[in-house]
Amino acid sequence: MNDNFNKMIKIILKNYFVKKFLSLVGAFYVYIVYVSSKKIFINKTSFDKLILENESFIYALWHDHLLLSPLTWQTKKRIDILISKHKDGDIIADLIKYHGFNSIRGSTNNPNKEKEKNTISSIRKIIKTLRGNVSIGITPDGPRGPRHKVSEGTINISRISNKKILPMALAYKKKWVLSTWDKFIIPKPFNKICIVWGDPLDTIINKIDTSVQQETLEKSLINITEIATNHIDS
């Protein structure tokens, strides 16, 4: 039954007009969820300080938090969001476009491991964008996992571009959780939302092993996700 359902979903996602319709409905739904919900902001000063510095940075969040993440970017400063080239990524890319955000299509995974031809091209675009003083939204565990494990790609981009990484996490009182690899979260309207920002990670100042910095970012994302969840449950 599940195999047949998955095949049906794949067929549907190949249809151009269906994808456009889903992205439009999704953009409207995301807006309704955000404006109808009570919002709690924690450690927003980390975000505000980086914005005031007028320097681009990497906005890092877990892949399952992606849906509402563009609306946490409450500033006129530009940010582009890295979205995978998979068919479900087409919907997300169009969805965020309705909210005024551009996307870079591709992945930051190591091409030797993932054998993705677009990886090097994507990384070049990201670095060029960051150096052009435009921030980039990246899911360090995307596009295909492992879930809540930071890949080295995000750290390498930070080092090459000489840009800081700002972790961000969301939690919702009411939500649906999909049976995907990342347990993708869809929040419900009239909700309680908690948004938490971590402390910026400067990979240039902290010249330590990439694996150590991966662990540092990973721990930060896990920690702020737990903080957000605890505030929702309290």
Side-chain angles (χ1 to χ4, degrees), residues 135-146:
S135 295
I136 295 287
I138 293 179
T139 55
D141 60 339
R144 292 297 175 194

mmCIF file with all atom_site columns, all heavy atoms in Angstrom, residues 135-146:
data_model
loop_
_atom_site.group_PDB
_atom_site.id
_atom_site.type_symbol
_atom_site.label_atom_id
_atom_site.label_alt_id
_atom_site.label_comp_id
_atom_site.label_asym_id
_atom_site.label_entity_id
_atom_site.label_seq_id
_atom_site.pdbx_PDB_ins_code
_atom_site.Cartn_x
_atom_site.Cartn_y
_atom_site.Cartn_z
_atom_site.occupancy
_atom_site.B_iso_or_equiv
_atom_site.pdbx_formal_charge
_atom_site.auth_seq_id
_atom_site.auth_comp_id
_atom_site.auth_asym_id
_atom_site.auth_atom_id
_atom_site.pdbx_PDB_model_num
ATOM 1  N N   . SER A 1 135 ? 23.022 36.962 2.308  1.00 0.00 ? 135 SER A N   1
ATOM 2  C CA  . SER A 1 135 ? 23.048 35.799 3.201  1.00 0.00 ? 135 SER A CA  1
ATOM 3  C C   . SER A 1 135 ? 22.447 34.575 2.513  1.00 0.00 ? 135 SER A C   1
ATOM 4  O O   . SER A 1 135 ? 21.702 34.703 1.528  1.00 0.00 ? 135 SER A O   1
ATOM 5  C CB  . SER A 1 135 ? 22.291 36.109 4.490  1.00 0.00 ? 135 SER A CB  1
ATOM 6  O OG  . SER A 1 135 ? 22.944 37.125 5.226  1.00 0.00 ? 135 SER A OG  1
ATOM 7  N N   . ILE A 1 136 ? 22.772 33.400 3.054  1.00 0.00 ? 136 ILE A N   1
ATOM 8  C CA  . ILE A 1 136 ? 22.293 32.139 2.486  1.00 0.00 ? 136 ILE A CA  1
ATOM 9  C C   . ILE A 1 136 ? 21.669 31.285 3.585  1.00 0.00 ? 136 ILE A C   1
ATOM 10 O O   . ILE A 1 136 ? 22.259 31.089 4.655  1.00 0.00 ? 136 ILE A O   1
ATOM 11 C CB  . ILE A 1 136 ? 23.446 31.340 1.836  1.00 0.00 ? 136 ILE A CB  1
ATOM 12 C CG1 . ILE A 1 136 ? 24.026 32.081 0.637  1.00 0.00 ? 136 ILE A CG1 1
ATOM 13 C CG2 . ILE A 1 136 ? 22.974 29.950 1.408  1.00 0.00 ? 136 ILE A CG2 1
ATOM 14 C CD1 . ILE A 1 136 ? 23.139 32.094 -0.584 1.00 0.00 ? 136 ILE A CD1 1
ATOM 15 N N   . GLY A 1 137 ? 20.480 30.775 3.323  1.00 0.00 ? 137 GLY A N   1
ATOM 16 C CA  . GLY A 1 137 ? 19.836 29.827 4.223  1.00 0.00 ? 137 GLY A CA  1
ATOM 17 C C   . GLY A 1 137 ? 20.193 28.408 3.820  1.00 0.00 ? 137 GLY A C   1
ATOM 18 O O   . GLY A 1 137 ? 19.986 28.031 2.656  1.00 0.00 ? 137 GLY A O   1
ATOM 19 N N   . ILE A 1 138 ? 20.745 27.637 4.749  1.00 0.00 ? 138 ILE A N   1
ATOM 20 C CA  . ILE A 1 138 ? 21.205 26.279 4.446  1.00 0.00 ? 138 ILE A CA  1
ATOM 21 C C   . ILE A 1 138 ? 20.703 25.307 5.509  1.00 0.00 ? 138 ILE A C   1
ATOM 22 O O   . ILE A 1 138 ? 20.688 25.622 6.703  1.00 0.00 ? 138 ILE A O   1
ATOM 23 C CB  . ILE A 1 138 ? 22.751 26.220 4.390  1.00 0.00 ? 138 ILE A CB  1
ATOM 24 C CG1 . ILE A 1 138 ? 23.278 27.013 3.194  1.00 0.00 ? 138 ILE A CG1 1
ATOM 25 C CG2 . ILE A 1 138 ? 23.255 24.778 4.293  1.00 0.00 ? 138 ILE A CG2 1
ATOM 26 C CD1 . ILE A 1 138 ? 24.798 27.016 3.074  1.00 0.00 ? 138 ILE A CD1 1
ATOM 27 N N   . THR A 1 139 ? 20.294 24.119 5.070  1.00 0.00 ? 139 THR A N   1
ATOM 28 C CA  . THR A 1 139 ? 19.965 23.035 6.001  1.00 0.00 ? 139 THR A CA  1
ATOM 29 C C   . THR A 1 139 ? 21.157 22.082 6.023  1.00 0.00 ? 139 THR A C   1
ATOM 30 O O   . THR A 1 139 ? 21.366 21.330 5.076  1.00 0.00 ? 139 THR A O   1
ATOM 31 C CB  . THR A 1 139 ? 18.689 22.285 5.563  1.00 0.00 ? 139 THR A CB  1
ATOM 32 O OG1 . THR A 1 139 ? 18.854 21.816 4.219  1.00 0.00 ? 139 THR A OG1 1
ATOM 33 C CG2 . THR A 1 139 ? 17.477 23.217 5.615  1.00 0.00 ? 139 THR A CG2 1
ATOM 34 N N   . PRO A 1 140 ? 21.967 22.099 7.090  1.00 0.00 ? 140 PRO A N   1
ATOM 35 C CA  . PRO A 1 140 ? 23.211 21.311 7.123  1.00 0.00 ? 140 PRO A CA  1
ATOM 36 C C   . PRO A 1 140 ? 23.012 19.803 7.076  1.00 0.00 ? 140 PRO A C   1
ATOM 37 O O   . PRO A 1 140 ? 23.966 19.071 6.839  1.00 0.00 ? 140 PRO A O   1
ATOM 38 C CB  . PRO A 1 140 ? 23.849 21.720 8.460  1.00 0.00 ? 140 PRO A CB  1
ATOM 39 C CG  . PRO A 1 140 ? 23.218 23.023 8.820  1.00 0.00 ? 140 PRO A CG  1
ATOM 40 C CD  . PRO A 1 140 ? 21.823 22.929 8.285  1.00 0.00 ? 140 PRO A CD  1
ATOM 41 N N   . ASP A 1 141 ? 21.772 19.337 7.314  1.00 0.00 ? 141 ASP A N   1
ATOM 42 C CA  . ASP A 1 141 ? 21.516 17.895 7.219  1.00 0.00 ? 141 ASP A CA  1
ATOM 43 C C   . ASP A 1 141 ? 20.790 17.538 5.925  1.00 0.00 ? 141 ASP A C   1
ATOM 44 O O   . ASP A 1 141 ? 20.417 16.372 5.723  1.00 0.00 ? 141 ASP A O   1
ATOM 45 C CB  . ASP A 1 141 ? 20.720 17.398 8.431  1.00 0.00 ? 141 ASP A CB  1
ATOM 46 C CG  . ASP A 1 141 ? 19.358 18.076 8.567  1.00 0.00 ? 141 ASP A CG  1
ATOM 47 O OD1 . ASP A 1 141 ? 19.164 19.173 7.997  1.00 0.00 ? 141 ASP A OD1 1
ATOM 48 O OD2 . ASP A 1 141 ? 18.485 17.532 9.269  1.00 0.00 ? 141 ASP A OD2 1
ATOM 49 N N   . GLY A 1 142 ? 20.599 18.502 5.054  1.00 0.00 ? 142 GLY A N   1
ATOM 50 C CA  . GLY A 1 142 ? 19.922 18.247 3.791  1.00 0.00 ? 142 GLY A CA  1
ATOM 51 C C   . GLY A 1 142 ? 20.911 17.969 2.656  1.00 0.00 ? 142 GLY A C   1
ATOM 52 O O   . GLY A 1 142 ? 22.113 18.133 2.827  1.00 0.00 ? 142 GLY A O   1
ATOM 53 N N   . PRO A 1 143 ? 20.413 17.552 1.470  1.00 0.00 ? 143 PRO A N   1
ATOM 54 C CA  . PRO A 1 143 ? 18.994 17.380 1.174  1.00 0.00 ? 143 PRO A CA  1
ATOM 55 C C   . PRO A 1 143 ? 18.428 15.998 1.507  1.00 0.00 ? 143 PRO A C   1
ATOM 56 O O   . PRO A 1 143 ? 17.229 15.793 1.449  1.00 0.00 ? 143 PRO A O   1
ATOM 57 C CB  . PRO A 1 143 ? 18.946 17.597 -0.345 1.00 0.00 ? 143 PRO A CB  1
ATOM 58 C CG  . PRO A 1 143 ? 20.268 17.077 -0.819 1.00 0.00 ? 143 PRO A CG  1
ATOM 59 C CD  . PRO A 1 143 ? 21.252 17.412 0.275  1.00 0.00 ? 143 PRO A CD  1
ATOM 60 N N   . ARG A 1 144 ? 19.273 15.043 1.875  1.00 0.00 ? 144 ARG A N   1
ATOM 61 C CA  . ARG A 1 144 ? 18.769 13.686 2.112  1.00 0.00 ? 144 ARG A CA  1
ATOM 62 C C   . ARG A 1 144 ? 19.314 13.039 3.377  1.00 0.00 ? 144 ARG A C   1
ATOM 63 O O   . ARG A 1 144 ? 19.317 11.827 3.492  1.00 0.00 ? 144 ARG A O   1
ATOM 64 C CB  . ARG A 1 144 ? 19.077 12.793 0.905  1.00 0.00 ? 144 ARG A CB  1
ATOM 65 C CG  . ARG A 1 144 ? 18.294 13.149 -0.361 1.00 0.00 ? 144 ARG A CG  1
ATOM 66 C CD  . ARG A 1 144 ? 16.809 12.976 -0.169 1.00 0.00 ? 144 ARG A CD  1
ATOM 67 N NE  . ARG A 1 144 ? 16.031 13.415 -1.319 1.00 0.00 ? 144 ARG A NE  1
ATOM 68 C CZ  . ARG A 1 144 ? 14.718 13.621 -1.298 1.00 0.00 ? 144 ARG A CZ  1
ATOM 69 N NH1 . ARG A 1 144 ? 14.059 13.457 -0.181 1.00 0.00 ? 144 ARG A NH1 1
ATOM 70 N NH2 . ARG A 1 144 ? 14.083 14.014 -2.385 1.00 0.00 ? 144 ARG A NH2 1
ATOM 71 N N   . GLY A 1 145 ? 19.818 13.846 4.323  1.00 0.00 ? 145 GLY A N   1
ATOM 72 C CA  . GLY A 1 145 ? 20.226 13.290 5.599  1.00 0.00 ? 145 GLY A CA  1
ATOM 73 C C   . GLY A 1 145 ? 21.678 12.862 5.658  1.00 0.00 ? 145 GLY A C   1
ATOM 74 O O   . GLY A 1 145 ? 22.456 13.151 4.739  1.00 0.00 ? 145 GLY A O   1
ATOM 75 N N   . PRO A 1 146 ? 22.069 12.219 6.759  1.00 0.00 ? 146 PRO A N   1
ATOM 76 C CA  . PRO A 1 146 ? 21.240 11.759 7.872  1.00 0.00 ? 146 PRO A CA  1
ATOM 77 C C   . PRO A 1 146 ? 20.586 12.909 8.650  1.00 0.00 ? 146 PRO A C   1
ATOM 78 O O   . PRO A 1 146 ? 21.148 13.989 8.733  1.00 0.00 ? 146 PRO A O   1
ATOM 79 C CB  . PRO A 1 146 ? 22.220 11.005 8.779  1.00 0.00 ? 146 PRO A CB  1
ATOM 80 C CG  . PRO A 1 146 ? 23.424 10.756 7.936  1.00 0.00 ? 146 PRO A CG  1
ATOM 81 C CD  . PRO A 1 146 ? 23.488 11.864 6.961  1.00 0.00 ? 146 PRO A CD  1
#
